[in-house]
Each structure stands twice: as C-alpha cells, then as structure tokens.
Amino acid sequence: MNPIAVFAVNFFAIVPLAALLSFATEELSVKLGQTLGGLMNATFGNAVELIVSIVALRQGEIRIVQASMLGSILSNILLVLGCCFISSGIRRRESTFNATVASTMSSLMAVAATSLIIPATLYASLQNSSADTESNILVLSHGTAIILLCLYGLYLFFQLKTHATLFDAEAQTDEDGNEEEAQILGPIPAGICLVLVTLCVAVCAEYLVDSIDAIVEEAHISKTFIGLILLPIVGNAAEHVTAVVVAWKDKMDLAIGVAIGSSMQIALFVTPFLVILGWCIGQPMTLHFQTFETVVFFLSVLVVNYLIGDGKSNYLEGCMCLGTYIIIALAFWVKPDDATGDAIVGAVKGMFVR
C-alpha cells in the first residue's frame, strides 16, 4: 500500500481520537475531584504524543522522538498561546490572567530549557576530548531526567496541595456566570472509553511511525519537520480547540493553563520519562538535542516569558507568537536531516578557545 496514503489516513484518524481522549479524560476527572482530576489530566493530556513517541522509541527512531517532544512544546507555547491571545483579543481590547501562576510555569519552562542547553554545551566541549562523549551525555541525561521528574512531582504538590489557592482563579473563572456542565459519562464508561481510545491511538501510531521512512523518501520531507511540526499539531488538536474556545469566553487563566501547562508537562514529565524508558529498553535516548533545536527552544521560551510577564494580553501579542512559530516552521522545512549544526558548535567553541 502507498506509504503516503497510510501516513495520511492514520495522521487524520488520530485527530478525532485525540478529541475523544480529551473528552473521556474530562468526564473521568469530574468524579475524582481537583487533586486526582489534575493528576489524571497531567497523565493523559499528552497521551497521543506519549504513545507515538513510545512506539518510535521502541523502533529506534530517536530523532522522531526528540523532534516530537520539542514540537509539542513549541506548538503549545507559540501556536496555541498565540491563537488564544488572538481569540480573546478579537472580542476585547485587553485580557488579564493570573501573572503569578503564569510566571511560575514560565520559570519552570526556563529550567527545562536549561536542561537542554547544558547537554548541548557539554557535547561541544567534549569534541576534542579523549573521553567517551556519548557515554558521558547519556549519564548526564539520565541524571537530569530524574531531577526533572522530581521537579514535576514537586510542582504537582505545589499546585494541588500547598499553594492551591494560587490556582483558584481558574476554578472561580469557571464558576462565575456559568453553571457546572452536566456529566455525560459515568466513571466506568469513561474509563472504558479511555482504554479503548488509547488502544486505537496506539494502533494508528504504529502504522504512522512505520510509514515515516517511506514518506521521507517519496515526499522529500525531513524527519525533523514531520516530528516537530506535523505530529504535534495532530496530537494537540483537542487541546488547541479547547484553549481557543475558553480564551474566546475570556477564561484566560484556563487558556494559559492549557497552553503553557501542557508544554511544561512535556518538558518536565514526558521527555524525561522517555529518557528513562530508553535507558530501560536499551535505546540511547538523551536530552542532547541538535544545537539549532536547542537555540530555537531557548529563544521561544524567552519570547513567551516576555509576553506573559505582565499578566495581560492582546491580539498583537498573539500575532507575535504565531509569527515566531511560522518562522520556526519554515526554518525546519528547509533544514535537511543531515544538518547537524557542527559549524555552529565550532563557532561557539571558537569564541572561547583562542
């Protein structure tokens, strides 16, 4: 069968499955309360990306895994956040949100960016060393992944237990002037739906990943572009719609929680988890991303931190986010897979070694 057709069919099949997964998770969270409901959303909110990445990691497609993780983060903090700002800015001159919560999330994103910059710089510094570079990067990645997982656990404890009042604005926004939505599915049907949809996503992901090599050869699209741009858009489709809708209703705290919160979850939980999983199954998954990707991630976090620092948003800031995302997408469209960024590494080393 034509690999392009296989890729396209499974690509578009995952979109409604992602929506069903989001729906089942929300329905199941209703009966679990805030704490367990938050943990449930943290676990299943990015389930599509996690499933696709596990399948790819098991097949040794580490570049696809890394690109998909980075792409999920970028699509949330730039594409989704930008659409939220525009959606809200169309109806009102200026929107406000909880700057303290947004600042906490963006600070954690900065920590995540640091966790990628350090392996990249270590890799550059070890190029002329007699030490085993790959082994050292693996050790650093494994230790960093454990620390990031601990930080994510502390963040959940911070959000749901010790500083829950900081996040009450989201609940208050949902309660003011809006009745609580009726539950459609009970806990058992929602749980069954969650399991069945997850299995369907896993099957589609298997075919999707299997067809990537063929579509790269036939359509001349780089693996990096597929993993960084196409897969995250599909995996985050349900979250995209949810964030834009709540932003249209001026529930900006909820929108910020979906956009930046999901990115933070990918950076602090999903990516480190995949590094540890690769360690367990013998795949050399590391936090050493290519230099160009690391720089793009750092600059994106920097832009978003500037935009949300004042706790206000408008449509112009949304256009800035979208513009940045489109520039990044164009850059990865023209960037071939064999461009490793060695010239950049050499230039950086030349700045310090005279």
Side-chain angles (χ1 to χ4, degrees):
M1 189 174 180
N2 190 340
I4 296 180
V6 173
F7 181 87
V9 168
N10 288 280
F11 182 87
F12 290 108
I14 287 179
V15 175
L17 289 174
L20 285 174
L21 194 63
S22 175
F23 167 75
T25 302
E26 291 174 2
E27 291 297 305
L28 192 59
S29 298
V30 171
K31 291 294 186 181
L32 295 178
Q34 180 184 1
T35 303
L36 292 179
L39 183 59
M40 180 66 68
N41 281 294
T43 304
F44 289 99
N46 290 299
V48 175
E49 294 95 323
L50 182 59
I51 293 171
V52 172
S53 297
I54 290 175
V55 172
L57 182 63
R58 188 167 53 84
Q59 297 182 7
E61 296 282 2
I62 295 177
R63 284 296 304 136
I64 291 291
V65 177
Q66 291 182 326
S68 178
M69 292 298 96
L70 182 61
S72 296
I73 296 171
L74 294 179
S75 68
N76 276 296
I77 64 175
L78 294 176
L79 179 61
V80 180
L81 190 64
C83 289
C84 290
F85 285 173
I86 292 175
S87 176
S88 178
I90 291 175
R91 300 189 63 184
R92 52 198 64 86
R93 182 182 180 87
E94 189 175 69
S95 299
T96 59
F97 49 86
N98 191 326
T100 303
V101 172
S103 177
T104 301
M105 291 181 176
S106 61
S107 297
L108 285 168
M109 287 301 298
V111 172
T114 303
S115 72
L116 297 189
I117 293 173
I118 291 176
T121 53
L122 176 64
Y123 182 85
S125 66
L126 292 177
Q127 287 301 292
N128 294 328
S129 172
S130 59
D132 187 350
T133 302
E134 299 299 330
S135 176
N136 288 335
I137 293 295
L138 272 174
V139 172
L140 174 63
S141 296
H142 294 159
T144 304
I146 293 172
I147 293 172
L148 291 178
L149 288 172
C150 292
L151 284 177
Y152 182 73
L154 287 173
Y155 170 73
L156 287 180
F157 187 70
F158 177 89
Q159 178 189 27
L160 303 175
K161 190 70 175 178
T162 62
H163 290 70
T165 53
L166 288 177
F167 298 83
D168 283 347
E170 296 181 11
Q172 292 169 1
T173 303
D174 194 43
E175 291 171 0
D176 292 342
N178 293 283
E179 296 182 359
E180 184 180 352
E181 295 182 4
Q183 185 179 14
I184 299 176
L185 295 179
I188 295 179
I192 294 174
C193 179
L194 196 65
V195 172
L196 293 178
V197 173
T198 302
L199 291 175
C200 291
V201 170
V203 172
C204 290
E206 186 80 32
Y207 284 105
L208 191 71
V209 173
D210 285 341
S211 66
I212 286 178
D213 285 333
I215 199 172
V216 165
E217 295 180 2
E218 294 192 17
H220 304 292
I221 301 175
S222 69
K223 285 185 178 182
T224 304
F225 183 81
I226 292 175
L228 197 136
I229 303 297
L230 297 183
L231 295 184
I233 290 178
V234 173
N236 293 326
E239 294 175 357
H240 289 192
V241 175
T242 301
V244 172
V245 169
V246 297
W248 178 264
K249 298 177 180 179
D250 199 27
K251 300 178 181 179
M252 287 305 295
D253 285 312
L254 291 174
I256 294 291
V258 171
I260 300 182
S262 181
S263 297
M264 189 183 61
Q265 177 191 351
I266 290 288
L268 296 180
F269 174 70
V270 178
T271 304
F273 170 78
L274 290 171
V275 171
I276 300 300
L277 179 63
W279 189 10
C280 295
I281 65 177
Q283 292 290 350
M285 172 70 183
T286 71
L287 293 175
H288 171 229
F289 288 58
Q290 292 184 1
T291 307
F292 179 67
E293 297 169 1
T294 304
V295 172
V296 165
F297 179 40
F298 172 74
L299 294 177
S300 300
V301 172
L302 190 65
V303 168
V304 171
N305 283 358
Y306 276 122
L307 292 179
I308 67 175
D310 60 353
K312 300 176 183 178
S313 68
N314 53 60
Y315 72 88
L316 179 60
E317 293 183 343
C319 292
M320 292 178 190
C321 288
L322 283 183
T324 304
Y325 185 76
I326 294 172
I327 292 171
I328 292 172
L330 288 174
F332 281 103
W333 172 261
V334 300
K335 178 180 179 291
D337 282 328
D338 58 359
T340 60
D342 290 337
I344 298 177
V345 172
V348 173
K349 289 172 63 180
M351 294 172 59
F352 299 98
V353 181
R354 296 294 183 185

